[in-house]
């Protein structure tokens, strides 16, 4: 099943900068699609560190970023967002078109206006379920961490908004990854909590365990 944390015993442990350089090298080494952006998909359960990694990687690559949080139609919308990502973002990109997916307005509980994806040589998509479409990217990354670490991060980030929905969302993750083993098909598997958390413990520097995909 594609949701478990594999642990980082014996893994290569790197800081964020080194991990970003590794991922950037893998993107550069992948065969380039003709006249369309390279795709990088970052998947993993809530609180695993995908958003932080996407921001750092996008800064390195000059990439556009698509957040799955903008595509989930509410707290029961995980599975629906996977199809939306494929139809509204990935297939248009592969066809050489500029996508403009709708954005979910969480405060209003309804779809908001469409927002164009910026033109860029690389598009990074991050979020739970990003790797569950039929579209194969140039780089697929699975990010994981222990459940307690993930929960603490997610609730610290979103506070009382996420707290009553944690179990509900986790059940959807379980169902999704039971039929879509993203981890098994990922080019790179990262543990974002080899020292207990992204803060790296007492040293303060973020650390990542590279469980698969050390060398491009």
């Amino acid at each position: 099943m594609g949701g478990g944390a594999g642990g980082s015993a014996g893994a290569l442990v790197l800081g964020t900068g080194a991990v970003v350089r590794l991922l950037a090298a893998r993107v550069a080494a992948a065969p380039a699609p003709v006249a369309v952006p390279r795709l990088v998909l970052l998947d993993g359960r809530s609180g695993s560190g995908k958003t932080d990694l996407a921001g750092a990687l996008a800064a390195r690559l000059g990439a556009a970023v698509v957040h799955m949080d903008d595509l989930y139609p509410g707290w029961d919308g995980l599975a629906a967002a996977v199809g939306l990502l494929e139809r509204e973002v990935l297939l248009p990109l592969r066809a050489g078109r500029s996508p403009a997916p709708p954005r979910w307005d969480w405060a209003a509980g309804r779809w908001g206006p469409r927002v164009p994806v910026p033109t860029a040589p690389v598009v990074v998509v991050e979020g739970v379920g990003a790797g569950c479409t039929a579209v194969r990217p140039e780089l697929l990354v699975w990010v994981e961490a222990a459940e307690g670490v993930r929960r603490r991060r997610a609730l610290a980030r979103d506070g009382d908004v996420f707290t009553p929905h944690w179990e509900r969302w986790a059940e959807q993750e379980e169902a999704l990854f039971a039929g879509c083993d993203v981890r098994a098909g990922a080019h790179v598997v990262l543990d974002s909590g080899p020292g207990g958390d992204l803060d790296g413990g007492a040293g303060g520097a973020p650390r990542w365990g590279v469980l698969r995909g050390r060398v491009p």
Side-chain angles (χ1 to χ4, degrees):
M1 186 171 61
S8 57
L12 176 67
V13 177
L14 300 173
T16 299
V19 166
V20 166
R21 289 192 294 274
L22 181 151
L23 297 181
R26 293 192 69 97
V27 172
V34 178
V36 297
R38 284 182 165 96
L39 293 177
V40 177
L41 306 182
L42 307 182
D43 206 337
R45 296 175 186 258
S46 291
S48 58
K50 302 178 297 298
T51 304
D52 289 340
L53 183 60
L57 184 59
R60 170 86 181 192
L61 297 175
V65 180
V66 175
H67 300 284
M68 291 287 288
D69 281 355
D70 293 333
L71 302 178
Y72 304 127
W75 290 108
D76 296 307
L78 175 52
V82 173
L84 184 67
L85 172 67
E86 182 170 313
R87 293 190 309 272
E88 297 281 354
V89 178
L90 301 183
L91 289 178
L93 283 171
R94 284 305 199 211
R97 303 194 304 271
S98 299
R103 177 176 291 181
W104 183 256
D105 185 331
W106 287 89
R110 62 174 182 265
W111 289 109
R114 291 179 174 270
V115 179
V117 175
T119 301
V122 178
V123 175
V124 176
V125 181
E126 69 84 17
V128 183
C132 285
T133 75
V135 177
R136 295 299 87 197
E138 280 61 58
L139 180 62
L140 175 59
V141 181
W142 174 262
V143 188
E144 61 188 42
E147 181 179 1
V149 172
R150 294 189 298 99
R151 178 169 183 148
R152 176 166 52 80
R153 287 181 193 155
L155 299 187
R157 177 189 65 204
D158 296 326
D160 293 339
V161 174
F162 199 175
T163 301
H165 304 290
W166 174 263
E167 296 296 338
R168 177 179 173 187
W169 190 258
E171 290 175 1
Q172 292 175 76
E173 292 179 338
E174 193 73 17
L176 180 68
F177 293 129
C180 172
D181 196 344
V182 179
R183 191 185 196 277
H187 302 106
V188 177
V189 176
L190 300 174
D191 177 359
S192 66
D197 206 347
L198 279 171
D199 61 11
R207 297 189 296 170
W208 304 75
V210 183
L211 307 183
R212 183 192 306 151
R214 299 185 186 189
V215 181

